[in-house]
């Protein structure tokens, strides 16, 4: 990368994960953040702590296509072009995407790469890429498993690995064998959750997605059709637990953790095990991550988004 960018050297220190960034901001160790296409005020654990961290910053820039919950806290919002107006390729998806010619992007919105390049140039490092194709060619040039994509100027879709220029692409990753050869396995010791259930908080909360919405709902919750299918946050609870709590299907319920509380309607059934409830995290009006804990796995540094202790109460 240093050769590709014509610089003497690049930093090799391991950076911080998202939760560690928020912690460092709360402690005054990070003064500014540039957040692009991410909405930590919905997606990150313990949203009260996230808000504290972001408000502790001296300067926050958010680059997005909508005024998200995070963007509402920003000092500067850079309007970004959404996918139908972009042309390029995705290193993590199937390959090419073609730009729509419809004028869907208002005002001064820019594709992400143009905004980043313009900012870098103003900060003293000239990023003079002519187009997204040039950036993708650079990625291919410095990433061996993607080098064959460099010939795909016609925007035909190729899925990596592409080990040679003549290779037709791989239908799915790890076809026939692992990319590295044999699989690599590690034995690890089981670590209990950072917050086990107890008499005060007897239920285990797990969070996730539903079929009709994605992540923080920034785009999917603006879709009429998807909102008709799944218009509100629903709390899934086992019928045995619901019976013990005198909760019927559709009743308003309150879920409380050591960090916060939310209210939404119950869905009673056997989707979850006894003692476990499920809440999707797409809904700002009942944000599941107000409840979750920011405890980190010691190796992967992933927070316990799927495991925390809560209590469930009939609301109203």
């Amino acid at each position: 990368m240093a050769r590709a960018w014509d610089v003497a050297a690049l930093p090799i220190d391991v950076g911080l994960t998202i939760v560690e960034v928020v912690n460092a901001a709360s402690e005054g160790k990070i003064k500014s953040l540039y957040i692009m296409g991410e909405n930590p005020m919905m997606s990150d654990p313990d949203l009260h702590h996230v808000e504290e961290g972001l408000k502790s910053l001296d300067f926050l820039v958010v680059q997005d296509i909508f005024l998200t919950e995070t963007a509402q806290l920003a000092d500067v919002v850079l309007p970004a072009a959404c996918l139908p107006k972009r042309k390029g390729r995705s290193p993590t998806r199937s390959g090419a995407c073609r730009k729509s010619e419809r004028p869907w992007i208002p005002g001064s919105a820019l594709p992400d790469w143009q905004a980043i390049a313009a900012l870098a140039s103003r900060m003293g490092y000239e990023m003079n890429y002519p187009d997204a194709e040039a950036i993708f060619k650079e990625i291919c040039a410095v990433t061996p498993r993607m080098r064959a994509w460099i010939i795909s100027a016609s925007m035909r879709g190729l899925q990596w690995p592409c080990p040679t220029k003549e290779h037709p692409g791989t239908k799915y990753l790890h076809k026939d064998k692992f990319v590295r050869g044999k699989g690599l396995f590690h034995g690890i010791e089981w670590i209990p959750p950072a917050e086990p259930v107890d008499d005060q908080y007897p239920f285990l909360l797990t969070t996730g997605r539903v079929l009709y919405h994605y992540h923080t709902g920034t785009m999917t919750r603006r879709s009429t059709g998807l909102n008709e299918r799944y218009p509100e946050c629903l709390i899934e609870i086992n019928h045995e637990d619901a019976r013990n709590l005198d909760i019927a299907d559709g009743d308003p319920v309150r879920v409380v953790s050591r960090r916060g509380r939310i209210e939404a309607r119950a869905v009673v059934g056997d989707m979850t095990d006894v003692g476990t409830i499920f809440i999707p995290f797409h809904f700002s009006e009942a944000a599941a991550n107000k409840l979750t804990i920011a405890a980190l796995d010691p190796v992967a540094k992933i927070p316990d988004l799927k495991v925390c202790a809560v209590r469930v109460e009939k609301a109203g």
Side-chain angles (χ1 to χ4, degrees), residues 97-140:
C97 58
R98 294 169 177 81
K99 182 176 70 170
S100 166
E101 295 306 322
R102 293 179 60 187
W104 288 4
I105 306 304
S108 57
L110 294 174
D112 290 336
W113 74 269
Q114 289 185 15
I116 294 170
L119 180 62
S121 297
R122 283 164 172 77
M123 295 178 72
Y125 182 80
E126 292 293 330
M127 279 192 180
N128 295 318
Y129 294 104
D131 50 33
E133 181 78 8
I135 297 173
F136 196 80
K137 286 183 176 180
E138 179 180 276
I139 294 172
C140 293

Side-chain angles (χ1 to χ4, degrees), residues 67-287:
L67 191 66
T68 64
E69 288 77 10
T70 304
Q72 292 174 37
L73 299 179
D75 298 291
V76 172
V77 177
L78 300 179
C82 63
L83 185 62
K85 197 63 177 179
R86 292 177 181 165
K87 178 180 180 181
R89 303 196 187 105
S90 170
T92 58
R93 301 296 191 268
S94 61
C97 58
R98 294 169 177 81
K99 182 176 70 170
S100 166
E101 295 306 322
R102 293 179 60 187
W104 288 4
I105 306 304
S108 57
L110 294 174
D112 290 336
W113 74 269
Q114 289 185 15
I116 294 170
L119 180 62
S121 297
R122 283 164 172 77
M123 295 178 72
Y125 182 80
E126 292 293 330
M127 279 192 180
N128 295 318
Y129 294 104
D131 50 33
E133 181 78 8
I135 297 173
F136 196 80
K137 286 183 176 180
E138 179 180 276
I139 294 172
C140 293
V142 297
T143 310
R145 292 192 184 116
M146 297 165 66
R147 281 178 182 164
W149 269 4
I150 204 166
I151 66 167
S152 184
S154 63
M155 297 300 290
R156 62 189 176 93
L158 279 179
Q159 295 189 189
W160 69 280
C162 293
T164 66
K165 289 187 176 182
E166 295 76 28
H167 198 276
T170 306
K171 187 175 181 179
Y172 49 85
L173 188 61
H174 306 307
K175 181 179 182 294
D176 300 324
K177 64 179 182 179
F178 291 106
V179 173
R180 67 177 304 278
K182 292 183 177 180
L184 183 63
F185 295 88
H186 299 274
I188 60 171
E189 295 295 325
W190 178 77
I191 302 174
E195 188 177 65
V197 297
D198 56 23
D199 292 340
Q200 187 177 5
Y201 299 96
F203 285 89
L204 184 72
L205 166 66
T206 187
T207 67
R209 299 173 175 85
V210 297
L211 176 63
Y212 303 104
H213 292 292
Y214 176 71
H215 213 48
T216 64
T218 300
M219 292 184 288
T220 58
R221 293 203 65 207
R222 288 174 167 84
S223 167
T224 301
L226 296 177
N227 282 327
E228 287 175 351
R229 291 283 187 173
Y230 207 106
E232 62 178 312
C233 179
L234 297 173
I235 297 169
E236 297 181 9
I237 183 171
N238 186 274
H239 54 80
E240 184 176 325
D241 293 324
R243 183 170 59 250
N244 293 336
L245 294 169
D246 191 27
I247 292 172
D249 191 64
D251 279 352
V253 297
R254 181 183 304 111
V255 181
V256 184
S257 76
R258 290 178 173 86
R259 291 153 296 281
R261 62 182 60 205
I262 65 170
E263 291 188 11
R265 291 195 304 121
V267 176
V268 177
D270 58 1
M271 300 83 67
T272 58
D273 291 336
V274 173
T276 299
I277 64 168
F278 170 83
I279 305 177
F281 68 99
H282 316 292
F283 300 90
S284 59
E285 60 272 28

Side-chain angles (χ1 to χ4, degrees), residues 287-303:
N289 280 319
K290 287 183 178 179
L291 308 172
T292 51
I293 186 170
L296 295 176
D297 175 273
V299 178
K301 304 294 181 70
I302 301 297

